[in-house]
Amino acid sequence: MDSRKPREEVLIEWFLGDSKEILADLQGAVAAAREVHQSMQEAGASLASTVEDARAELVTANRELTAAIRETEARHDKALEKLDRQAKSLLAATQRRTVWVAAICAGIAGLAGGLGGALLFYRLVAG
């Protein structure tokens, strides 16, 4: 008898050997895919957490900025009101001084005019 295996058996053993290798490779690929899937889920959860933290920080920063703007506007309004009061007070004081100076100048001018007229009248009448 022939010690060689029939061709079909050799082919079946060859296919079985290849299928075992393919199965081992597939099992390795499935394990790697599971690891990748797990790491993707962890990365997604981490990313979601990071996004939520960043959103919370942005909301907090926005609130702080809004409060700072409101405080600045309030200070600005108070400063403008104070400046307006000071300007009105200075204007009123300047007007009072101007009225007094005008009255004194008018009085001096009237006195000088009256004295000049009296002197002219005196020279015309006496002279």
Side-chain angles (χ1 to χ4, degrees), residues 15-16 26 33 37 39 41 55 69 73 75 79 88 93 103 105 115:
F15 283 125
L16 285 177
L26 285 176
H37 182 334
S39 67
Q41 285 180 335
R55 187 195 65 77
I69 289 172
E73 285 177 347
R75 287 182 181 176
K88 286 179 181 178
C105 288
L115 286 176

Side-chain angles (χ1 to χ4, degrees), residues 96-114:
R96 283 192 303 271
R97 289 182 187 143
T98 303
V99 168
W100 277 106
V101 168
I104 290 170
C105 288
I108 291 173
L111 182 63

Side-chain angles (χ1 to χ4, degrees), residues 26-82:
L26 285 176
Q27 287 173 342
V30 167
R34 283 186 182 139
E35 289 176 13
V36 169
H37 182 334
Q38 180 66 26
S39 67
M40 291 294 288
Q41 285 180 335
E42 291 171 0
S46 176
L47 182 61
S49 174
T50 302
V51 167
E52 184 60 29
D53 291 344
R55 187 195 65 77
E57 288 179 17
L58 283 173
V59 167
T60 301
N62 185 35
R63 288 179 181 159
E64 290 173 357
L65 180 62
T66 302
I69 289 172
R70 286 182 185 148
E71 183 180 336
T72 302
E73 285 177 347
R75 287 182 181 176
H76 184 257
D77 290 343
K78 287 179 183 178
L80 285 177
E81 289 172 6
K82 183 178 179 181

